[in-house]
């Protein structure tokens, strides 16, 4: 158990993402008409004109520098409010991503400027969908939220996004890079299937889930980089599957604490381990064997993706920075002797930002 399997285990080979203008000073009304020769009378036309100017808020700032300000044009005010609203929407998406997908957030920050905002929006969209299952107690409510996002994507491609921060940022991303609608719909459809709250039947079903979520997210990331290449897509497919498997492993302790286990049932049955054994952390040796088999499959996908990197355009490499986090987890779980409940696996890697930067600088994955 010290090293990784070089290929899929035999029992796995069958298994083939206003300022309001200042109020005008009151117009002075004379109680009696002064003599026409009086200075105030001679200056009356000019005074009336100035009062009219003050009433419309157009008095020159130079004339009254201390008490009057030039009016803010209505169009400029609307533009300022739009910029402010856009900034708040972007910040809301980043806060969500930083809290729920810290590694994805770091990867997005290292992307080229023209792709960064779009990928942040895509990952925030993925997080919105991913957290539905754990945030609802009834499947019906989860289905309603899924349906909201399905309708939102339809409206986004009709240039009529709902007034929701992540949806608006996603709409901007679609307009900027002409993203493929099918990948977004695949993510939604797969998240909907995942509401059933049951374990995967086999490793193939887990890989299908990963392909339609994590791999689809990588396909969209490649599109933001302007990459539409079959070799890059092939790499994205394997990397997405590796990430989906690793995500399932990482979430196992959390799910076990809620008396749920989603690991492939065929591998658990092969080693004679039940869901209750995971929940109670019994049969530690057999559980390690299960984790080893599943983690090895993730490692196979990662190595497969790297085996043909010579054919992948260098411009696509930033999309695959997530391999750093995948590799980091696989290294830590191997060091922990595949004890999925080991405390070291639940600690945030303080060196991850540095490792990501180095990998980005080397232009590799």
């Amino acid at each position: 158990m010290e090293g990784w399997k070089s290929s899929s285990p035999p029992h796995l080979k069958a298994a083939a993402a206003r300022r309001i203008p200042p109020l005008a000073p009151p117009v002075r009304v004379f109680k009696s008409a002064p003599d026409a020769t009086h200075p105030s009378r001679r200056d009356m036309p000019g005074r009336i004109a100035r009062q009219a100017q003050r009433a419309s808020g157009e008095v020159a700032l130079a004339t009254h520098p201390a008490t009057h300000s030039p009016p803010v044009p209505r169009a400029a005010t609307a533009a300022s409010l739009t910029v402010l609203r856009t900034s708040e929407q972007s910040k809301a998406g980043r806060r969500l991503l930083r809290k729920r997908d810290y590694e994805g957030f770091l990867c997005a920050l290292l992307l080229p400027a023209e792709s960064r905002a779009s990928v942040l929006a895509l990952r925030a969209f993925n997080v919105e969908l991913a957290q539905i299952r754990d945030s609802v107690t009834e499947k019906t409510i989860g289905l309603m939220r899924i349906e909201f996002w399905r309708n939102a994507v339809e409206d986004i491609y009709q240039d009529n996004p709902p007034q929701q921060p992540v949806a608006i940022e996603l709409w901007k991303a679609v307009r900027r890079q002409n993203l493929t609608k099918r990948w977004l719909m695949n993510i939604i459809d797969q998240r909907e299937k995942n509401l059933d709250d049951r374990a995967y039947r086999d490793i193939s079903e887990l890989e299908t889930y990963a392909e339609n979520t994590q791999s689809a997210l990588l396909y969209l990331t490649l599109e933001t980089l302007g990459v539409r290449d079959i070799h890059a897509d092939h790499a994205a497919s394997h990397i997405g599957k590796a990430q989906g498997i690793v995500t399932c492993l990482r979430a196992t302790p959390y799910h076990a604490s809620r008396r749920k286990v989603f690991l492939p049932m065929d591998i658990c049955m092969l080693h004679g381990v039940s869901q209750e054994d995971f929940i109670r952390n019994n049969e530690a040796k057999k559980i390690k064997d299960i984790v080893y088999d599943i983690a090895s499959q993730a490692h196979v996908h990662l190595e497969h993706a790297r085996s043909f990197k010579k054919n992948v355009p260098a411009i696509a490499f930033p999309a695959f920075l997530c391999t750093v986090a995948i590799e980091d987890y696989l290294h830590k779980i191997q060091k922990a002797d595949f004890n999925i409940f080991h405390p070291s696996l639940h600690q945030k890697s303080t060196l991850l930002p540095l490792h990501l930067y180095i990998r980005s600088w080397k232009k590799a994955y």
Side-chain angles (χ1 to χ4, degrees):
M1 195 179 294
E2 295 180 357
W4 293 108
K5 295 181 181 178
S6 59
S7 62
S8 303
H11 60 280
L12 300 179
K13 288 185 178 179
R18 235 160 256 162
R19 283 178 52 172
I20 300 176
L23 292 176
V27 179
R28 181 177 299 176
V29 180
F30 292 99
K31 294 182 179 180
S32 59
D35 184 74
T37 60
H38 193 278
S40 62
R41 180 61 173 170
R42 290 195 302 267
D43 193 45
M44 183 64 72
R47 294 175 63 187
I48 293 175
R50 286 193 295 272
Q51 289 169 355
Q53 287 177 341
R54 286 196 292 269
S56 62
E58 296 175 354
V59 68
L61 180 61
T63 307
H64 303 281
T67 59
H68 293 278
S69 298
V72 180
R74 186 169 297 178
T77 303
S80 299
L81 290 174
T82 300
V83 170
L84 180 61
R85 192 180 301 115
T86 300
S87 176
E88 289 301 320
Q89 290 164 351
S90 179
K91 288 179 181 178
R94 292 192 179 204
R95 283 194 298 268
L96 172 67
L97 192 56
R98 187 167 188 170
K99 180 180 179 181
R100 309 287 294 194
D101 184 13
Y102 179 67
E103 293 167 358
F105 174 74
L106 292 178
C107 291
L109 293 181
L110 291 171
L111 290 171
E114 59 272 16
S115 302
R116 191 178 306 133
S118 295
V119 174
L120 286 170
L122 287 168
R123 289 199 166 272
F125 164 73
N126 184 57
V127 168
E128 285 280 1
L129 290 168
Q131 64 184 1
I132 291 177
R133 185 176 70 175
D134 292 331
S135 61
V136 299
T137 55
E138 296 182 13
K139 183 180 177 180
T140 304
I141 299 175
L143 290 172
M144 291 172 62
R145 293 180 62 178
I146 290 287
E147 191 61 24
F148 165 81
W149 283 107
R150 184 175 284 111
N151 293 334
V153 170
E154 292 288 354
D155 291 340
I156 282 170
Y157 280 86
Q158 296 296 325
D159 280 336
N160 184 32
Q163 295 304 305
Q164 199 271 0
V166 174
I168 291 175
E169 291 301 310
L170 183 62
W171 169 66
K172 294 175 185 175
V174 169
R175 293 191 66 187
R176 277 192 297 262
Q177 273 95 16
N178 192 26
L179 302 178
T180 302
K181 179 182 176 181
R182 175 163 59 97
W183 302 132
L184 295 172
M185 285 303 189
N186 281 0
I187 296 174
I188 294 173
D189 292 342
Q190 198 63 51
R191 296 293 186 186
E192 181 179 25
K193 293 178 183 177
N194 207 37
L195 290 177
D196 290 337
D197 228 18
R198 62 171 179 80
Y200 300 101
R201 288 192 298 269
D202 48 40
I203 193 71
S204 178
E205 188 176 35
L206 173 55
E207 289 175 339
T208 299
Y209 172 79
E211 167 70 24
N212 289 322
T213 52
Q214 300 297 341
S215 296
L217 194 59
L218 290 177
Y219 298 149
L220 290 164
T221 302
L222 288 172
E223 290 184 357
T224 68
L225 294 167
V227 177
R228 296 177 188 267
D229 177 85
I230 189 171
H231 299 294
D233 288 347
H234 196 181
S237 176
H238 285 286
I239 292 171
K241 288 175 182 176
Q243 186 163 22
I245 293 171
V246 165
T247 300
C248 184
L249 287 172
R250 294 177 69 170
T252 296
Y254 167 75
H255 290 144
S257 68
R258 303 181 66 181
R259 302 189 63 80
K260 297 177 182 179
V261 179
F262 297 103
L263 296 178
M265 291 187 292
D266 64 332
I267 302 180
C268 294
M269 292 172 62
L270 180 69
H271 292 279
V273 176
S274 66
Q275 290 192 358
E276 194 65 27
D277 291 329
F278 269 97
I279 294 170
R280 296 180 178 275
N281 197 14
N282 298 332
E283 302 289 350
K285 176 64 171 62
K286 292 182 178 180
I287 289 178
K288 288 181 179 181
D289 291 339
I290 293 172
V291 173
Y292 172 66
D293 282 352
I294 298 173
S296 292
Q297 191 70 1
H299 185 260
V300 167
H301 281 298
L302 190 58
E303 290 303 306
H304 195 176
R306 287 171 171 168
S307 67
F308 46 81
K309 65 181 178 182
K310 292 182 179 179
N311 298 321
V312 176
I315 192 176
F317 287 2
F320 303 147
L321 285 174
C322 58
T323 57
V324 176
I326 298 171
E327 192 175 38
D328 178 67
Y329 180 81
L330 291 176
H331 173 73
K332 288 195 297 185
I333 201 169
Q334 184 180 24
K335 191 175 180 180
D337 193 26
F338 300 95
N339 177 8
I340 202 170
F341 298 101
H342 196 278
S344 65
L345 299 177
H346 313 305
Q347 298 172 357
K348 185 180 291 186
S349 177
T350 56
L351 293 178
L352 180 62
L354 177 61
H355 293 159
L356 283 168
Y357 179 79
I358 293 173
R359 189 69 59 86
S360 175
W361 177 72
K362 289 183 175 180
K363 300 187 185 301
Y365 69 88

